[in-house]
């Protein structure tokens, strides 16, 4: 290794002599939030962890293999971004624990790659001093070198390396420039002698609650860095012109909120308009393949299972793939461009009134994709009570699994028509209303929680606003691909399994003429047992069965109804799911069902993650009951009103 | 002043009422120097870690639609709440020189 400081170098020299054959070296990737750690990690390992242009994307450790050359493998661990090591949030705690070797099944790292955004070098280098205290080989990666040069900044990186006493590599992780240099460093890391533990709790020695030494420590560190950066002839890059120009629109007093609204309206409208041709295509594919298959199979129970059960059930869910992809396309653009952090700034006042941290807005926004990563992302929220309140209201954010249910019912019951000229149709408006309903429930719930169970002072709010970046077609494309895979895998597993079980239940008890009329089948009986409970809402037993199966995952209700009607109307292939729904549900009941889905926590995975993240059953049970209560009473009221 | 007499840095909020400039009072695009952070340590630490330290130069670059300041410090853009900005005592650069 070239030119390591004595501090870091000593540790290397002693450990190189002690070969530990049993494991490959572990290298920790650390740095401030949004400095490009995961981008670099993905480059080196070939994995596809989530990258987005706002701070706090990674909230858990991820280990990946890096093939340095033909015979050498090292392990790289990607970590949540930190500004320091006082671990005020749970994600920062993860980083500190990994660095200190406090994690089971993971040895203390043998080396560190510290990656910083070199366009704002002074503040990002604050991590150098504590990291060097670990006394393990360290590589400093000056990432975003492209932006530094583009904006007219410069730096003598060799001088910087000398002054800090670490190896330095400059990179553009986004396109992979300079990544070879990182690989070279990785390839030389050796497993540390197991007998030499890290200086214990070296990172946690910042005394908390003792303010003066803390400020002094920071100021002293900073003064030193200012000198270092100065001697390495760092020319700070000018402000990014594009960021300035875009912010003057997106954060404008009137234009900002208007643009925000316009973006939302466009998203919802396109979910209905753009998706139509694509959905017709998918529909055609499913029907023709079903017909082809039906013609191949001889009449009998197997054909009924495949066509009326599985094809009708799974097919009725898959058809919503285009709408989900459109939603993710927009979410991807918002996340990668840097707009998300601005949206959080615009929403901060509302959050403040409610009693939540502005920080909590980002996890909540990611809840529109799926509540599970959003609940994990709430780890970035500082106060424990604020974090609990955030994850408690996350399932009210309309996740993408609700979309098929909404889209099906809206298409069946809401006429097409224009509300605001060409911009907003009735259907999109109703969809928008449902999202709004979720937000309203979240706001009210948080307001109540913060004044009862989870009382706390509003904390301070500091939000880093990243530079705007052009989302790359490749990264968005890969996201959509991954999303399609997840969606299809769910259709092929949970929904597939549920449709088979349901089909079997429709076949018994056998009558002389074959399968019973569906009302008399086992499924019909089960449904009719549930029916009294949901009768006040105007739902019949079929919906009741759907509500039960949708506990596994929300969109399963669509597959369930597909199967029930598939079996029931096996003789009539021309009738669509929408038509049968119109036959069996009144408009008020359909609205009631929409409201029910807006509120109810029908997702066992969410409950499981809640349990893990809150460390017990108390919160998930409370949350489930509360949301069920809201859903039931909300649907009841809706049925009365309409 | 703040740098040499660290005791005043975290002094109580209204030590010298009226006589001091707060970041919240500074017009846009005027660069000022941070003198003191009137926040408890939990509130101050996120700022310190991001380079908002006594002695650093801060410039409010715009205000958000809700009237909260967005400031530039060492090339980073930070969004603050008004309430936080009012806890940051600053002085004009011309005074210093
Ligand atoms: N221009 C440029 N952009 C980059 C570079 N490296 C990463 N980015 C972008 O910076 C943003 C943040 O990247 P991430 O890899 O998610 O950052 P991170 O450090 O993992 O962030 P957290 O997980 O939130 O701590 C993304 O929009 C990347 O595309 C680079 O070298 N140049
Ligand atoms: Mg990351």
């Amino acid at each position: 290794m070239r030119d390591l400081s004595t501090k870091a170098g000593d540790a290397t020299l002693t450990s190189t002599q002690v070969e530990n054959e049993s494991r490959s070296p572990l290298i920790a990737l650390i740095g401030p939030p949004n400095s490009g750690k995961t981008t670099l990690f993905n480059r080196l390992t070939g994995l596809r962890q989530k990258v987005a242009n706002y701070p706090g994307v990674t909230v858990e450790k991820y280990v990946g293999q890096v093939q340095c050359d033909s015979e050498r493998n090292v392990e790289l661990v990607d970590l949540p971004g930190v500004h320091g090591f006082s671990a005020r949030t749970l994600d920062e705690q993860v980083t500190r624990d990994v660095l200190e070797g406090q994690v089971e099944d993971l040895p203390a790292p043998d080396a560190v790659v510290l990656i910083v955004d070199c366009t704002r070098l002074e503040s990002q280098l604050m991590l150098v001093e504590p990291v060097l205290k670990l006394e393990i080989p360290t590589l400093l990666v000056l990432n975003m070198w492209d932006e530094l040069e583009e904006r007219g900044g410069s730096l003598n990186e060799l001088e910087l390396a000398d002054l800090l006493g670490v190896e330095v590599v400059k990179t553009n992780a986004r396109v992979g420039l300079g990544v070879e240099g990182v690989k070279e460093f990785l390839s030389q890391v050796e497993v540390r002698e197991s007998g030499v533990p890290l200086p214990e709790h070296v990172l946690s020695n910042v005394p908390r609650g003792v303010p003066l030494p803390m400020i002094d420590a920071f100021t002293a560190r900073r003064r030193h860095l200012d000198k270092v950066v100065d001697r390495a002839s760092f020319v700070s890059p000018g402000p990014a012109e594009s960021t300035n120009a875009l912010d003057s629109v997106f954060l404008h007093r009137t234009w900002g909120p208007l643009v925000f609204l316009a973006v939302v309206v466009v998203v919802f409208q396109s979910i209905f308009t753009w998706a139509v041709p694509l959905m017709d295509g998918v529909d055609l594919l499913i029907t023709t393949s079903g017909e082809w298959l039906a013609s191949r199979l001889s009449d009998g129970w197997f054909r009924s299972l495949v066509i009326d059960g599985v094809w009708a059930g799974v097919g009725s869910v898959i058809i919503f793939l285009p709408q989900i992809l459109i939603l993710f396309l927009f979410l991807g653009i918002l996340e990668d461009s840097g707009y998300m952090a601005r949206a959080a700034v615009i929403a901060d006042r509302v959050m403040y009134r409610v009693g939540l941290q502005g920080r909590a807005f980002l996890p909540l926004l990611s809840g529109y994709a799926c509540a599970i990563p959003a609940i994990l992302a709430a780890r970035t929220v500082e106060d424990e009570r604020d974090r609990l309140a955030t994850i408690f209201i996350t399932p009210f954010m309309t996740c993408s699994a609700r979309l098929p249910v909404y889209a099906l019912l809206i298409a069946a019951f809401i006429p097409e028509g224009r509300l605001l000229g060409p911009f907003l149709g009735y259907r999109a408006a109703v969809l928008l209303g449902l999202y709004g309903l979720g937000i309203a429930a979240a706001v009210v719930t948080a307001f109540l929680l913060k004044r009862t169970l989870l009382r706390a002072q509003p904390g301070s709010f500091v939000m880093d606003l990243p530079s705007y970046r052009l989302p790359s077609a490749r990264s968005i494309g890969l996201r959509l691909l991954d999303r399609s895979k997840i969606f299809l895998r769910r259709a092929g597993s949970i929904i597939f399994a549920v449709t088979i079980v349901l089909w079997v239940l429709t076949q018994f008890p056998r009558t002389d003429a074959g399968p019973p009329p569906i009302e008399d089948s086992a499924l019909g009986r089960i449904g009719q047992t549930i029916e009294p409970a949901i009768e006040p809402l105007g739902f019949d037993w079929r919906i009741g069965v759907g509500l039960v199966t949708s506990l596994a995952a929300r969109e399963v209700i669509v597959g369930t109804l597909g199967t029930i009607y598939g079996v029931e109307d096996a003789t009539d292939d021309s009738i669509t799911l929408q038509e049968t729904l119109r036959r069996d549900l009144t408009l008020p009941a359909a609205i009631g069902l929409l409201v029910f889905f807006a509120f109810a926590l029908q997702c066992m995975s969410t409950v499981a993650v809640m349990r893990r993240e809150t460390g017990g059953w108390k919160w998930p049970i409370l949350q489930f009951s509360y949301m069920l209560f809201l859903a039931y009473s909300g649907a009841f009221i809706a049925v009365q009103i309409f | 002043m703040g740098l040499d007499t660290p005791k005043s840095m975290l002094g109580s909020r209204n030590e010298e009422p009226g006589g001091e400039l707060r970041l919240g009072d500074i017009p846009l695009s005027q660069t000022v120097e941070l003198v003191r952070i009137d926040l408890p340590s939990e509130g101050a630490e996120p700022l310190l870690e991001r380079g908002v330290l006594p002695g650093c130069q801060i410039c409010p670059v715009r205000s958000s639609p809700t009237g909260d300041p967005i400031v530039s410090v060492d090339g980073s853009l930070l969004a603050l709440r008004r309430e936080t900005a009012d806890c940051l005592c600053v002085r004009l650069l011309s005074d210093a020189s």
Side-chain angles (χ1 to χ4, degrees), chain B residues 49-69:
Chain B
E49 288 178 345
R50 288 169 172 81
V52 183
L53 290 159
C56 78
Q57 298 196 351
I58 303 188
C59 175
V61 285
R62 67 182 74 252
S63 80
S64 79
T66 49
D68 294 292

Side-chain angles (χ1 to χ4, degrees), chain A residues 29-42 49-59 78-82 91 115 117 142-148 150 171-177 335-338 380 466-472 475 479:
Chain A
L29 197 51
I30 73 161
N34 213 45
S35 60
K37 294 175 295 300
T38 307
T39 313
L40 182 68
F41 177 81
N42 288 348
Q49 291 302 329
K50 179 167 177 182
V51 167
N53 193 14
Y54 61 88
V57 178
T58 310
V59 292
D78 185 24
L79 294 170
V82 293
D91 60 321
I115 172 165
D117 169 357
L142 301 169
N143 194 33
M144 315 222 174
W145 192 266
D146 54 316
E147 288 191 4
L148 179 75
E150 211 169 275
T171 58
N172 172 357
R174 216 157 119 125
V175 300
L177 280 178
E335 287 185 342
D336 283 4
S337 61
T380 57
S467 303
Y468 288 97
R469 302 201 165 94
L470 201 62
S472 86
S475 103
R479 267 193 217 203

